[in-house]
Amino acid sequence: MNRSGWILLLALLMPFGTWAGCLDNTRLTGVNLAGAEFNSKKLPGVIAKDYIYPSNQELAFVAAQGATIIRLPFRWERLQPRLDRAFDAAELRRLQTVITQAQLHDLCVLLDVHNYAKYYGEPITSAAQQDAFVHLWVDLASTLGNPEYVALGLMNEPAYIPLADWATLAKRTLAELREAELSHLVMVGGGGWNGLHSWFSEQEGISNANAFAKLEDPLKRTVIEVHQYADRDYSGTAQDCYPPLHFDLPFARISQWASDNELQLFLGEFGVAATQPCLETLAHFLQLMRGNEWMGWSYWAGGRWWGNYPFALNSNPLNPSPQWAPLKAAFYRGGDLSPPLPPEDATH
């Protein structure tokens, strides 16, 4: 059977939502575990000095809170120090170790090339660079296998190439993954800074809404990833937050877009400071993603190297970060509505 026939057969036998493992028709709700993408000016860098991967203890703690997924940011240059050449064996083992440990805790892993559409600081605009990007994902997915637990996040916030170029490259990467008979769940982020609030805003005559409308995947295992911060310019750099209702319209608009285009959404990054107004906005974000248009979300961010970063989640069971409470209340736990909603006539 040729490759096209294999894809069609697999799509018929295993429609979206029937895949085994932790990606089996569940909402994927969890956190980013940051550290492997740190110190982008020190590339490739030295492990445990310039960057770090999540420990088994961190994974166990996140799983114990009720998460079903971690988003794992890492740098392309560390995995592949020379463009379109072999993977660094030690770095590949680090990725594989995290995946193995996460699977033992029944956590999916969303691999996130955290490069902003750059490689060693240069935008990936040439044909050779873009070919190498496609080969990166085909080779990595082929090497790792495990589509029941491993999802592919093509590129974090590809702001350094034009939106139209990114859309073309993302679609090509998806097509070549499927042509290579790779069935992993794929997360396709929008161009630019991938903001939910700016999904319909045009850049050079095109918007993410237009570029990714009716995105096609023969296996129907592709999800649109967006990001959204709550501070004054949506950058995730300030400790203030817009009030909860400020976000009702943009969430409703993109949810309707996803429904119209027969796609699902994943909020790959969102985070707030531990102030009462921001925690209220965080709780509202989680309510706004209860619809079927949402595959899930991952909070930014956990990881043991954050220091005093105001959005950070710790792994201290005796004194957990205040952000854990609304996240734990919203983590997927199975069933048609999870967490369950109270009866409409409930009194308090």
Side-chain angles (χ1 to χ4, degrees):
M1 181 182 295
N2 62 27
R3 288 177 175 176
S4 298
W6 177 90
I7 289 174
L8 178 60
L9 177 61
L10 193 55
L12 291 172
L13 292 177
M14 300 185 73
F16 186 73
T18 63
W19 301 79
C22 76
L23 293 172
D24 178 21
N25 198 29
T26 64
R27 291 184 186 270
L28 303 175
T29 56
V31 302
N32 287 261
L33 282 180
E37 83 286 14
F38 281 12
N39 286 315
S40 61
K41 294 182 179 179
K42 296 182 179 179
L43 295 172
V46 179
I47 186 68
K49 178 183 178 182
D50 300 315
Y51 67 105
I52 196 76
Y53 276 87
S55 68
N56 187 51
Q57 291 76 15
E58 288 177 288
L59 293 166
F61 181 85
V62 167
Q65 309 316 301
T68 60
I69 190 169
I70 64 161
R71 183 172 180 257
L72 182 63
F74 67 96
R75 293 285 176 183
W76 181 359
E77 300 89 345
R78 289 174 177 148
L79 179 63
Q80 193 174 49
R82 297 183 64 187
L83 198 68
D84 225 359
R85 299 294 179 89
F87 294 145
D88 179 86
E91 196 73 3
L92 180 62
R93 282 196 299 273
R94 293 178 191 115
L95 280 177
Q96 291 171 319
T97 296
V98 173
I99 292 167
T100 298
Q101 292 175 337
Q103 186 169 342
L104 291 174
H105 298 295
D106 205 24
L107 288 168
C108 301
V109 178
L110 170 57
L111 299 175
D112 161 43
V113 173
H114 211 80
N115 274 71
Y116 308 95
K118 296 190 291 186
Y119 184 79
Y120 284 110
E122 296 296 323
I124 54 169
T125 54
S126 72
Q129 291 169 319
Q130 295 190 2
D131 288 348
F133 177 75
V134 175
H135 299 160
L136 164 73
W137 275 118
V138 172
D139 293 347
L140 183 58
S142 299
T143 300
L144 295 175
N146 202 3
E148 297 86 0
Y149 278 84
V150 175
L152 315 179
L154 297 186
M155 178 64 73
N156 180 72
E157 298 178 356
Y160 289 90
I161 62 175
L163 190 159
D165 292 355
W166 165 245
T168 299
L169 179 58
K171 292 172 184 177
R172 176 189 164 196
T173 305
L174 173 61
E176 295 204 23
L177 284 164
R178 300 303 185 231
E179 192 68 16
E181 303 181 3
L182 294 161
S183 60
H184 298 74
L185 180 71
V186 178
M187 299 276 190
V188 176
W193 298 105
N194 194 20
L196 180 156
H197 67 279
S198 60
W199 193 251
F200 299 89
S201 300
E202 290 192 353
Q203 303 175 33
E204 298 181 352
I206 189 172
S207 68
N208 280 316
N210 292 331
F212 294 102
K214 300 293 183 182
L215 181 65
E216 295 184 1
D217 176 0
L219 300 186
K220 299 188 184 301
R221 295 202 86 203
T222 298
V223 176
I224 296 293
E225 181 183 334
V226 292
H227 296 172
Q228 186 61 56
Y229 288 94
D231 52 344
R232 66 179 68 93
D233 59 358
Y234 310 116
S235 65
T237 59
Q239 297 186 47
D240 66 308
C241 288
Y242 281 109
L245 296 182
H246 176 85
F247 293 97
D248 283 7
L249 182 59
F251 270 85
R253 191 179 183 194
I254 199 170
S255 296
Q256 186 62 55
W257 174 88
S259 179
D260 291 344
N261 287 279
E262 300 179 342
L263 294 166
Q264 282 191 299
L265 302 162
F266 184 84
L267 192 63
E269 288 186 20
F270 62 108
V272 301
T275 64
Q276 187 58 37
C278 286
L279 292 174
E280 291 173 3
T281 296
L282 172 59
H284 195 61
F285 266 38
L286 299 169
Q287 288 296 316
L288 292 172
M289 292 184 285
R290 293 292 306 280
N292 291 331
E293 300 84 7
W294 289 92
M295 170 67 79
W297 42 264
S298 57
Y299 179 90
W300 184 270
R304 62 191 184 278
W305 274 18
W306 276 120
N308 294 323
Y309 178 56
F311 296 3
L313 297 169
N314 65 21
S315 299
N316 183 350
L318 299 179
N319 187 28
S321 306
Q323 295 93 330
W324 274 120
L327 294 173
K328 288 175 66 174
F331 280 141
Y332 177 85
R333 290 187 290 275
D336 294 332
L337 286 175
S338 175
L341 293 174
E344 291 184 3
D345 60 350
T347 58
H348 302 279

